[in-house]
Amino acid sequence: MPNNKHLTLNDRFVIQNELREGQSFKFIADLLDKDPSTISKEIKSHFVIKRTGAYGRSFNDCALQQNCHIQNLCHNCSHSKLRYCSFCGSCSKNCSSYMQLSCERLIKPPYVCNGCKNLHRCRLQKSIYDAVEAHKEYTAIKKESRLGINSDEQEIDRIDSIITTGLSSGQSLHHICSCHKDELMISERSLYRYVDMGIFTARNIDMPRKVRYRPRKLKLAFKVDRSCRIGRTFEDYKTFISHNIDLPVVQIDTVEGVKRGKVLMTIHFVKAEFMIAFLRDSNTSKSVTEIFNALYDKLGHDLFKKLFPVILTDNGSEFSNPTAIEFSPSGERRSNVFYCDPSSPHQKGAAENNHEFIRRILPKGSSFNELTQNDIDLMMSHINSYKRKKLNDKTPYESFSFFYNESTAKLLNVDKIDSDKVVLSKSLLR
């Protein structure tokens, strides 16, 4: 067998074409000089789910569709002239009798609908292997897996204690590496890179010679978990939401002050337009995890899961350890984290728009270094007491209290401010 184990785009086209012809994994593996398990894993990892019907037949995956006589489930439905709701693919979400039906062929090889003779009249959810889409996903996963570092946060803390102690004493990184080679087990070049990324407590300013050099224009992306986006992309988010339409979504983001100063982490409850914020000394993954763990201890397991079932965020390095957010310290799942596409802030536009109110009080370029968490709580209380047209002239505080009870808002350190006393200007925190 050849040494290269990765499938190429041409290999994937061969797989797609042979699946269309109904060939077995063994036959395809022999053509590509691969193991049949490689073909099986490739198809199961990279098929695309399509919720489409067939020619002249809309999508409907209800098991009762053949004998269903229900009508008028949806008001103002575009298919209202049709005789029964079973002809419409979108009414099932409102039907109490809905029972999902899946094709039994998809639970055994070939796991996809390529080559199925009934595809032209099938109304069920389909799994399609597409060579181009599979290669795009493979390329993206390969790129993600090569970003960031191999060490976890505990290992970084151990290395940090060595590096920061030495740098604060005026030692160079070369001197520290030479003295602690057996303890660090990491190259000097990597340590320079980690300091430059802000992973350690020590900063570039602690290395007098380093700050004299002009910084490189290219700055590599850093991620604590290099594979954090796998299974958590925006497409995965849309698929998850389509199957869990009743779950509320929370968007999290970072608001920066001056460079290398304190930063805010904002948590926006989209449905209620309600936002809370937390002051952090530095923009690190560990600080984000500590905030969620503190909230979990304060709210309890059930209330935390109710408030944070789905979290959507951007691709900042501070959010690149999703497992620590999704699971409690004892290992219980408490949330589901997903990421927006790169350079797509509009995908979490609700949080971005709400930052406008923060910037009225803390304009861009303002330093957060002199602020305390009490200042931030006061600011968010005023912002959440500001009436919104989108909420039918209700405040986010009132909306959030309606959904989750006023006592929950108090637990999050947000108070109701009288409408006439709301201040959304720099004077609030002077």
Side-chain angles (χ1 to χ4, degrees):
M1 282 192 180
N3 291 329
N4 55 314
K5 297 180 181 180
H6 294 267
L7 294 170
T8 64
L9 179 58
N10 288 335
D11 292 338
R12 291 183 166 89
F13 274 118
V14 171
I15 294 174
Q16 177 180 317
N17 294 334
E18 296 305 324
L19 285 174
R20 187 182 300 127
E21 298 299 322
Q23 299 294 353
S24 67
F25 290 169
K26 179 69 168 61
F27 181 87
I28 301 173
D30 289 341
L31 279 180
L32 299 177
D33 198 13
K34 302 287 185 181
D35 191 273
S37 64
T38 301
I39 309 302
S40 175
K41 291 175 183 176
E42 165 67 17
I43 293 170
K44 288 193 287 186
S45 299
H46 300 300
F47 65 79
V48 179
I49 294 177
K50 295 187 177 181
R51 297 168 64 85
T52 58
Y55 181 75
R57 297 163 63 88
S58 61
F59 169 78
N60 191 325
D61 62 348
C62 180
L64 306 176
Q65 60 175 275
Q66 297 295 335
N67 301 310
C68 179
H69 301 290
I70 298 176
Q71 293 179 287
N72 300 321
L73 276 173
C74 303
H75 299 292
N76 301 321
C77 179
S78 59
H79 299 83
S80 58
K81 295 181 180 180
L82 296 176
R83 186 176 180 184
Y84 299 121
C85 290
S86 59
F87 284 87
C88 173
S90 59
C91 292
S92 58
K93 62 178 180 292
N94 297 323
C95 182
S96 58
S97 302
Y98 168 72
M99 295 173 57
Q100 187 176 20
L101 175 65
S102 300
C103 181
E104 294 181 356
R105 296 183 182 182
L106 299 182
I107 62 176
K108 58 184 179 181
Y111 307 113
V112 290
C113 302
N114 302 56
C116 178
K117 296 179 180 178
N118 297 321
L119 190 61
H120 66 287
R121 51 193 175 90
C122 178
R123 302 180 68 185
L124 304 180
Q125 179 174 289
K126 302 168 184 64
S127 299
I128 304 294
Y129 181 82
D130 182 275
V132 174
E133 292 300 322
H135 195 69
K136 284 182 181 178
E137 187 175 357
Y138 154 78
T139 305
I141 291 173
K142 184 174 71 171
K143 182 179 178 181
E144 289 287 342
S145 67
R146 293 177 178 177
L147 294 175
I149 59 178
N150 290 319
S151 305
D152 56 24
E153 293 196 32
Q154 288 72 31
E155 178 66 8
I156 290 297
D157 286 342
R158 186 187 68 81
I159 298 174
D160 185 19
S161 64
I162 300 173
I163 298 299
T164 301
T165 301
L167 290 178
S168 62
S169 300
Q171 300 173 10
S172 67
L173 268 182
H174 178 75
H175 175 85
I176 298 169
C177 289
S178 300
C179 297
H180 300 275
K181 187 179 297 184
D182 294 338
E183 296 175 72
L184 293 173
M185 302 290 287
I186 193 169
S187 70
E188 184 177 334
R189 178 61 252 164
S190 294
L191 289 174
Y192 271 106
R193 184 161 57 92
Y194 293 173
V195 172
D196 198 41
M197 288 176 174
I199 305 304
F200 301 137
T201 305
R203 296 288 185 264
N204 282 331
I205 196 69
D206 297 312
M207 297 185 288
R209 293 188 62 192
K210 177 76 165 64
V211 296
R212 297 176 197 161
Y213 300 138
R214 185 173 296 175
R216 295 182 180 181
K217 292 183 179 179
L218 178 63
K219 189 170 184 179
L220 298 175
F222 163 73
K223 295 192 182 299
V224 174
D225 180 358
R226 297 185 297 175
S227 59
C228 63
R229 282 178 52 86
I230 299 175
R232 299 185 181 93
T233 64
F234 195 69
E235 287 300 317
D236 296 318
Y237 163 75
K238 291 193 291 185
T239 301
F240 183 85
I241 289 298
S242 69
H243 291 89
N244 301 274
I245 56 177
D246 295 328
L247 290 182
V249 177
V250 173
Q251 299 176 357
I252 61 176
D253 202 356
T254 295
V255 177
E256 293 186 339
V258 295
K259 290 295 183 183
R260 298 185 181 87
K262 290 184 178 181
V263 297
L264 297 179
M265 185 187 84
T266 60
I267 301 178
H268 186 68
F269 299 86
V270 178
K271 192 173 182 179
E273 290 287 318
F274 183 86
M275 177 176 280
I276 55 177
F278 296 90
L279 190 65
R280 296 177 290 148
D281 290 332
S282 56
N283 197 22
T284 62
S285 170
K286 185 178 180 182
S287 65
V288 172
T289 303
E290 288 174 346
I291 288 172
F292 277 103
N293 286 339
L295 283 172
Y296 183 76
D297 292 337
K298 190 173 187 178
L299 299 172
H301 181 75
D302 293 339
L303 183 54
F304 186 95
K305 283 190 67 175
K306 184 179 180 181
L307 289 174
F308 303 98
V310 183
I311 295 175
L312 180 65
T313 185
D314 57 28
N315 296 274
S317 60
E318 68 271 29
F319 304 124
S320 62
N321 191 2
T323 304
I325 301 174
E326 291 178 328
F327 293 90
S328 69
S330 60
E332 294 179 278
R333 177 173 282 278
R334 59 189 183 185
S335 186
N336 297 276
V337 175
F338 296 95
Y339 294 94
C340 297
D341 294 328
S343 303
S344 302
H346 62 277
Q347 292 175 347
K348 55 176 181 60
E352 298 286 348
N353 290 338
N354 212 66
H355 288 169
E356 172 195 344
F357 297 107
I358 295 178
R359 287 307 187 187
R360 292 188 192 181
I361 301 168
L362 297 172
K364 283 190 176 182
S366 300
S367 173
F368 303 163
N369 294 340
E370 302 301 321
L371 299 178
T372 66
Q373 184 59 44
N374 288 335
D375 295 327
I376 303 304
D377 292 339
L378 175 64
M379 175 179 71
M380 301 315 298
S381 293
H382 280 257
I383 290 174
N384 288 313
S385 299
Y386 188 66
K387 294 183 183 295
R388 312 291 170 86
K389 186 176 181 180
K390 186 184 294 186
L391 298 176
N392 196 25
D393 292 333
K394 299 292 184 183
T395 67
Y397 182 93
E398 292 170 328
S399 179
F400 184 84
S401 298
F402 174 78
F403 289 121
Y404 302 108
N405 202 307
E406 190 170 1
S407 60
T408 305
K410 299 293 185 183
L411 280 174
L412 298 175
N413 297 328
V414 177
D415 296 315
K416 184 178 181 179
I417 307 298
D418 187 76
S419 300
D420 293 330
K421 296 182 179 179
V422 171
V423 178
L424 295 182
S425 67
K426 293 184 287 185
S427 62
L428 177 64
L429 300 181
R430 281 179 182 170

